[in-house]
Structures are given as C-alpha cells and as structure tokens.
Amino acid sequence: MEQQGLVKTSEGKHIYLRPVEMSDLDDYYAYLSDPTTSRFTGTQKVFSRQTAASWIEHISKPDSSRVDLMIISQATDRLVGEVVLNDIDPVNRSANIRIAIAGQANQGKGYGTEAMLLMLHHAFGTLNLHRVELSVYAFNDRAIHVYEKLGFKREGIQRDCLFLNHQYHDAITMSILEHEFRERHTPNSCNAGV
C-alpha cells in the first residue's frame, strides 16, 4: 500500500523512485549505518539520527544541481536504497550519478539495475543531459558488471583514492553518453531493455 502523501516519480517492475520524506527517517538512518552499504560507497563517517534527519531536510528542498530519489520496494513499500543525480551542469549537459542499495538483504535482486535505468531515463529523456558519469571502487565487481550492462564505459582509474581497512583501493571512472543510452534502452532501439 502506498503511503499517504508520497508520490511515485518513476515506476519499474520491482521498485519505484520517489522523493525522500521525513517518515523515511528510521529506514534511512538504518541504511546510512549499514556496514555493507558504507563499504561499497566508501563512507567512513558515522551518522547520528539527527544528522540523518538534517540530511533528509536538506535534500527535500528544491535544488537544480541535484535529484535525490529513494528506491522503494514495490512489494513492501519500504526504502531499499537511493539513487542521486548530482553536479548537474546545464551548460555542458552533464551530471554525476550515484546509487546505494541498503544492506545485503536487498542486494542481488535487481533493484540497483532497475533504479539506475529509471534515473538514466530521467537524465537523458527529461533533463536532456548528454553525459552521465560515476565512480565505482575497483573491488565492487557486482556494481561494475551492472554499469557495463547498462552501457557505461570505463574512462580511467583514480589510483589509491580510498583508504579502508588498512588498504588503499582504486576507483574506476565510467560514463555513458545520451546516444549510447538511447541505442540500448529506448523503445525504438533493437536492443531496448537491460
């Protein structure tokens, strides 16, 4: 059952995307505190409940440089992650995308692939962007596989950019251009779909 007052921005088969609400605080705080999520995002900050509430308040305000959407399970109406377009540059028609799926229980179910696809449709089909880039840690093989399946191309490596558990890790910079996305994912393309 959809929660009162919450609007689905984009809807897929297993998930939908919508703006964050203060009613998400418990799930969002748990998501921010999850060690698996923190490892894959490289987050080393410890969040308090108040910090999480302040961040929800911040990303709820209109900001033309970013689009923050929560990933919600169709089956449970519970938050399973977030997907964000940030650093939106209307002159160069570019942006950065980032995604995180909350905890191991929600990973490996296709939520991330579906959420990325919905957000990329928004980026290229609504915001008229030309380029979307991301950065992924080299140890995150599952995410790299998903990004390549979606059509992202590897562009370079940021060497030793994350220090985690007594070890340095590289990050891989990847991007997808509007024509690459449309060729692969729009209805009139022979290869439409994931």
Side-chain angles (χ1 to χ4, degrees):
M1 182 67 104
E2 188 176 343
Q3 295 178 24
Q4 184 70 19
L6 300 181
V7 177
K8 294 179 181 179
T9 302
S10 296
E11 193 165 2
K13 185 175 180 182
H14 302 290
I15 56 102
Y16 62 91
L17 305 180
R18 65 158 170 78
V20 68
E21 294 280 335
M22 199 52 79
S23 61
D24 293 320
L25 179 58
D26 290 339
D27 287 342
Y28 196 68
Y29 177 61
Y31 150 74
L32 290 175
S33 303
D34 180 75
T36 303
T37 305
S38 296
R39 178 175 178 268
F40 287 126
T41 60
T43 302
Q44 298 181 26
K45 182 177 180 179
V46 177
F47 294 92
S48 69
R49 189 174 167 78
Q50 181 55 48
T51 304
S54 296
W55 183 246
I56 286 174
E57 188 176 321
H58 172 75
I59 62 176
S60 298
K61 296 176 183 169
D63 181 347
S64 62
S65 71
R66 60 187 299 131
V67 176
D68 292 79
L69 296 175
M70 301 298 104
I71 305 167
I72 309 296
S73 164
Q74 290 277 23
T76 65
D77 270 333
R78 298 289 300 266
L79 184 142
V80 295
E82 70 177 326
V83 60
V84 178
L85 272 178
N86 56 8
D87 300 328
I88 297 172
D89 178 344
V91 175
N92 293 303
R93 296 176 48 218
S94 65
N96 179 75
I97 193 168
R98 67 177 175 78
I99 187 170
I101 300 299
Q104 287 182 318
N106 294 312
Q107 294 172 359
K109 296 185 175 182
Y111 297 153
T113 302
E114 199 170 335
M116 286 287 287
L117 193 54
L118 290 172
M119 187 62 105
L120 288 169
H121 272 291
H122 180 67
F124 294 119
T126 304
L127 299 180
N128 193 29
L129 295 181
H130 174 69
R131 171 190 162 83
V132 175
E133 68 179 27
L134 59 81
S135 182
V136 58
Y137 294 112
F139 59 76
N140 195 345
D141 294 327
R142 181 182 289 168
I144 293 166
H145 172 75
V146 168
Y147 301 148
E148 289 178 335
K149 186 169 82 168
L150 288 169
F152 280 83
K153 308 271 190 265
R154 296 180 191 220
E155 293 188 324
I157 295 176
Q158 296 170 299
R159 299 178 303 147
D160 288 354
C161 70
L162 173 68
F163 185 72
L164 183 66
N165 295 328
H166 306 278
Q167 192 174 9
Y168 282 100
H169 301 277
D170 294 344
I172 300 168
T173 302
M174 304 177 81
S175 74
I176 187 168
L177 303 178
E178 61 181 318
H179 73 275
E180 295 168 337
F181 180 80
R182 288 191 178 111
E183 286 168 7
R184 192 179 280 244
H185 299 290
T186 55
N188 59 357
S189 167
C190 319
N191 302 321
V194 179

